[in-house]
């Protein structure tokens, strides 16, 4: 039997824009709680949230934001992020998600590549001074005209502008939109060069959010704790859109993930579901407050980002009451999820696999060399197609053609095995991507940055095993003649304000040469094995 499967089609695809779908749910559940901001002690009903979304939508129109124009958002999780997400969707503006961990090097690139004219930004988060960084890149981002900082008078002034645009003008704008229009750009790095902007439509992300949460039986009586970041599909699609498509309450426990605050929010708000990557669940299970928290309201959630250890899944089921927790697998380019386990799947299916094809999604496993579909049980490249497939990479047709073949299949670069029952197991990666704590780190991007150091001749980046994060970043560097060797501390200092923290190498090996193939290609497999030996990681 060939490694091909198609998800069920009994529930139809939603053919609405995000704004239309949101308003339909609002009219059905006007007084239900929509958003709870635990940290700020603020709450909105669906009626109140829709009114605020409309206010910001009209305010953005008064700034001259046109349909198809890009709006950047650079902030940690907060209600304003969600409000801007739906306001942009209602006016047909393309929301550009900017990773809160970005530094100036990355910020300037995404602003220029997407052509952002208006950006809404936090003032600070953790160690990031966004105001300072915005000022640093202003000279290098000529398209950027307007930056509005949350938590300042900027937001109040924006709200005050709404009166310049009538409700009728907003209705007319909404009526002109199509659900196949681009509505979101999310940057996902490639194995070569800079990040690529996966461009997603209303149809892409609305349906993915709906079908993934449909699989865990989300409904108007549920309250979902969302500690995963909104800038990523996990937060804004599977979290926000999944909730609003079902009239569910979105609970924001904190601006960034904090295990103690997440546990407190679940107890306080009687959450029925919680999302996270495995490291988040490990942190919650290991928190000193864990045993004292009442988590009896939980029943479900989604774990994604990397493989879930069996013992962690057992504890989520037995100690967090998440008997209906699901595993999901996907990538930004597919809105994101392609596969998911069912809530009644056994422990083996929820730990040894990433589930089976989601509704209206096709999947197959092919020989990476020939493109032929392999037999079930054989390893090959995971491919998928369907409504969830991105429109393409923003302004990059070449990279789009490399990723999506002529028959509409997305080639993920992940190595997978499809079992006889149609469930899939991800066994490795064709590309050299490093997954650190659920964050994708693409070696070429870090290498390109390391090349900017005046003392570095050449750099190669790989992933090495790590107990806490799954993988850590390791850089092999060759020094320019006569230059003193650099250590990990020196590299960290050089990268501190320019690269996101999770991309900065933890380990640095200074070498005279790299292992090479006969044809002159660097052998990263050999580098990885040697790094494990030199660092003593194989004994952990």
């Amino acid at each position: 039997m060939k490694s091909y499967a198609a998800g069920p089609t009994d529930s139809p695809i939603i053919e609405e824009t995000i704004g239309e779908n949101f308003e339909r749910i609002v009219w059905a559940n006007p007084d239900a709680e929509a958003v709870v901001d635990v940290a700020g002690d603020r709450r909105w009903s669906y009626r109140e949230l829709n009114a605020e979304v409309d206010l910001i939508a009209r305010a953005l129109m008064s700034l001259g934001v046109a349909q198809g124009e890009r709006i950047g958002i650079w902030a940690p999780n907060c209600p304003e992020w969600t409000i801007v997400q739906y306001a942009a969707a209602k006016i047909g503006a393309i929301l550009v998600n900017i990773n809160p961990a970005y530094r100036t090097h990355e910020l300037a690139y995404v602003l220029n590549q997407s052509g952002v004219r208006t950006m809404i930004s936090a003032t600070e988060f953790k160690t990031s001074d966004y105001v300072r960084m915005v000022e640093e890149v202003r000279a290098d981002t000529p398209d950027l005209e307007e930056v509005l900082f949350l938590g300042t008078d900027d937001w109040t002034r924006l709200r005050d502008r709404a009166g310049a645009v009538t409700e009728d003008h907003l209705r007319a704008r909404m009526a002109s939109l199509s659900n196949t229009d681009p509505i979101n750009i999310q940057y996902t790095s490639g194995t070569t060069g800079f990040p690529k902007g996966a461009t997603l439509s209303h149809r892409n992300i609305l349906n993915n959010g709906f079908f993934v949460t449909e699989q865990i039986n989300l409904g108007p009586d549920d309250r979902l704790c969302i500690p995963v970041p909104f800038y990523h599909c996990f937060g804004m699609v599977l979290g926000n859109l999944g909730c609003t498509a079902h009239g569910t309450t979105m609970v924001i426990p904190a601006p960034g993930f904090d295990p103690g605050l997440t546990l407190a929010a679940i107890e306080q708000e009687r959450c029925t579901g919680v999302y996270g990557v495995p490291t988040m669940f490990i942190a919650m299970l290991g928190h000193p407050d864990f045993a004292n928290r009442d988590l009896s309201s939980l029943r479900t959630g989604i774990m994604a980002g990397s493989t879930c250890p069996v013992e962690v899944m057992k504890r989520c089921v037995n100690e967090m009451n998440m008997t209906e927790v699901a595993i999901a697998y996907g990538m930004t380019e597919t809105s994101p999820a392609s596969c998911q386990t069912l809530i009644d799947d056994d422990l083996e299916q929820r730990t040894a696999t990433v589930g089976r094809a989601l509704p209206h999604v096709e999947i197959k496993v092919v020989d990476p060399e020939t493109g032929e579909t392999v037999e079930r049980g054989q390893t090959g490249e995971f491919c998928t197609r369907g409504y969830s497939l991105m429109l393409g990479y923003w302004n990059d047709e070449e990279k789009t053609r490399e990723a999506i073949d002529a028959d509409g299949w997305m080639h993920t670069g992940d190595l997978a095995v499809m079992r006889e029952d149609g469930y899939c197991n991800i066994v490795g990666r064709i590309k050299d991507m490093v997954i650190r704590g659920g964050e994708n780190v693409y070696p070429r991007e870090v290498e390109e940055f390391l090349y900017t150091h005046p003392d570095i001749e050449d750099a190669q980046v790989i992933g090495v095993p790590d107990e806490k994060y799954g993988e850590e970043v390791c850089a092999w560097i060759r020094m320019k003649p006569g230059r003193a060797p650099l250590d990990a501390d020196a590299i960290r200092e050089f990268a501190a304000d320019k690269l996101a923290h999770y991309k900065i190498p933890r380990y640095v090996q200074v070498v005279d040469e790299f292992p090479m193939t006969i044809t002159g290609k660097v052998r990263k497999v050999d580098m990885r094995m040697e790094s494990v030996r030199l660092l003593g990681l194989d004994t952990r």
Side-chain angles (χ1 to χ4, degrees):
M1 192 174 182
K2 294 290 186 184
S3 296
Y4 167 86
T9 57
D10 43 320
S11 181
I13 286 176
I14 299 170
E15 299 293 0
E16 296 173 309
T17 64
I18 289 169
E20 289 168 340
N21 179 263
F22 177 60
E23 291 190 351
R24 182 165 59 80
I25 298 298
V26 169
W27 308 145
N29 308 274
D31 299 318
E33 211 159 44
V35 176
V36 177
D37 172 25
V38 178
D41 193 23
R42 297 181 292 169
R43 295 168 188 271
W44 288 260
S45 68
Y46 266 91
R47 181 191 284 112
E48 291 165 342
L49 179 63
N50 187 52
E52 188 66 16
V53 166
D54 280 1
L55 190 80
I56 297 301
R58 287 160 46 214
L60 290 171
M61 287 177 69
S62 79
L63 288 176
V65 177
Q67 180 182 344
E69 189 174 316
R70 277 74 64 209
I71 296 178
I73 184 157
W74 194 28
N77 289 11
C78 60
E80 287 78 10
W81 207 112
T82 305
I83 290 162
V84 171
Q85 176 184 347
Y86 288 85
K90 281 197 176 189
I91 65 173
I94 300 173
L95 190 70
V96 179
N97 300 4
I98 304 171
N99 188 330
Y102 272 1
R103 293 296 189 263
T104 52
H105 182 71
E106 300 137 319
L107 175 65
Y109 176 77
V110 300
L111 290 174
N112 285 327
Q113 205 276 333
S114 60
V116 166
R117 186 175 68 87
T118 304
M119 181 168 74
I120 294 165
S121 173
T123 55
E124 60 183 3
F125 178 57
K126 295 183 178 177
T127 60
S128 295
D129 181 344
Y130 291 162
V131 177
R132 178 184 61 79
M133 285 193 276
V134 168
E135 283 308 308
E136 280 187 30
V137 304
R138 283 306 278 265
D140 300 319
T141 51
D143 293 332
L144 186 64
E145 294 179 11
E146 191 96 45
V147 181
L148 306 167
F149 288 103
L150 298 173
T152 72
D153 290 343
D154 289 357
W155 185 252
T156 306
R157 285 197 294 270
L158 177 66
R159 294 178 84 255
D160 290 344
R161 293 186 63 110
V165 174
T166 66
E167 185 70 23
D168 285 345
H169 280 114
L170 174 58
R171 295 287 121 198
R173 175 73 69 88
M174 287 182 67
S176 70
L177 307 180
S178 164
N179 72 330
T180 56
D181 291 339
I183 203 64
N184 184 220
I185 297 175
Q186 301 202 26
Y187 279 88
T188 176
S189 299
T191 50
T192 57
F194 284 99
K196 303 186 294 276
T199 307
L200 305 169
S201 67
H202 297 263
R203 193 173 190 262
N204 287 150
I205 57 178
L206 173 60
N207 280 284
N208 206 254
F210 173 78
F211 284 116
V212 167
T213 47
E214 190 82 344
Q215 299 269 90
I216 58 171
N217 287 344
L218 221 57
D221 295 330
D222 282 302
R223 300 170 71 80
L224 181 67
C225 185
I226 312 175
V228 293
F230 289 163
Y231 80 85
H232 189 275
C233 273
F234 203 171
M236 73 163 286
V237 179
L238 306 189
N240 293 349
L241 285 167
C243 284
T244 60
H246 289 94
T248 301
T249 304
M250 298 168 272
V251 177
I252 308 171
F257 174 65
D258 179 290
L261 294 177
T262 303
L263 291 167
I266 293 168
E267 179 181 57
Q268 174 188 312
E269 296 299 328
R270 306 301 295 155
C271 293
T272 55
V274 60
Y275 285 177
V277 298
T279 51
M280 289 181 174
F281 285 100
I282 291 167
M284 285 188 275
L285 290 162
H287 194 271
D289 289 346
F290 180 76
N292 302 319
R293 290 296 180 190
D294 177 5
L295 307 179
S296 58
S297 59
L298 283 177
R299 69 165 180 88
T300 191
I302 292 173
M303 199 180 298
S306 59
T307 308
C308 176
V310 177
E311 289 307 311
V312 174
M313 180 61 79
K314 282 182 181 174
R315 291 192 65 193
C316 287
V317 172
N318 297 328
E319 298 174 42
M320 294 183 73
N321 302 298
M322 298 176 69
T323 53
E324 298 180 3
V325 64
I327 298 292
Y329 159 80
M331 62 193 306
T332 307
E333 290 90 335
T334 54
S335 302
S338 302
C339 290
Q340 189 176 339
T341 59
L342 303 178
I343 58 174
D344 55 357
D345 282 340
D346 62 31
L347 195 64
E348 189 272 340
Q349 287 169 312
R350 283 191 270 187
T351 53
T353 82
V354 293
R356 60 183 192 176
L358 277 160
H360 300 280
V361 170
E362 294 177 87
I363 60 174
K364 67 177 179 178
V365 179
V366 304
D367 184 313
E369 300 296 323
T370 66
E372 293 296 314
T373 305
V374 302
E375 295 294 322
R376 294 200 179 187
Q378 293 182 2
T379 301
E381 184 178 15
F382 185 93
C383 298
T384 181
R385 71 177 176 185
Y387 77 85
S388 56
L389 193 57
M390 67 173 179
L391 301 177
Y393 293 119
W394 185 259
N395 282 347
D396 199 335
E397 290 184 16
E398 182 183 347
K399 289 290 189 294
T400 302
R401 284 194 299 271
E402 288 174 11
I404 304 170
D405 67 25
D407 294 320
W409 288 97
M410 177 80 201
H411 289 252
T412 66
D414 286 328
L415 293 169
V417 176
M418 185 181 290
R419 310 193 317 185
E420 289 300 322
D421 60 7
Y423 283 66
C424 291
N425 182 21
I426 304 300
V427 297
R429 295 183 300 282
I430 297 170
K431 302 167 186 174
D432 290 315
M433 183 176 73
V434 180
I435 301 182
R436 182 194 180 276
E439 291 279 6
N440 293 354
V441 181
Y442 294 83
R444 183 61 185 271
E445 186 185 0
V446 182
E447 290 161 3
E448 294 281 359
F449 172 74
L450 292 175
Y451 292 146
T452 66
H453 193 290
D455 296 339
I456 292 176
E457 174 86 15
D458 200 356
Q460 296 291 331
V461 169
I462 55 171
V464 294
D466 183 77
E467 280 190 335
K468 182 175 182 180
Y469 294 108
E471 284 186 293
E472 267 287 5
V473 180
C474 176
W476 282 39
I477 58 176
R478 285 197 296 116
M479 308 306 301
K480 289 180 179 176
R483 304 295 171 92
L486 296 167
D487 60 13
D489 288 338
I491 294 295
R492 272 195 289 273
E493 184 178 342
F494 176 67
D497 286 322
K498 303 182 185 77
L499 279 186
H501 67 90
Y502 59 85
K503 298 177 186 176
I504 298 174
R506 178 177 176 185
Y507 305 108
V508 172
Q509 305 280 353
V510 179
V511 297
D512 293 325
E513 58 185 14
F514 303 125
M516 309 285 276
T517 65
I518 296 171
T519 57
K521 292 182 180 177
V522 175
R523 284 194 54 82
K524 289 196 171 182
V525 173
D526 293 353
M527 290 170 58
R528 195 172 291 112
M529 290 171 60
E530 181 65 4
S531 296
V532 166
R533 186 187 69 78
L534 289 170
L535 297 167
L537 300 174
D538 52 346
T539 60
R540 291 186 181 180

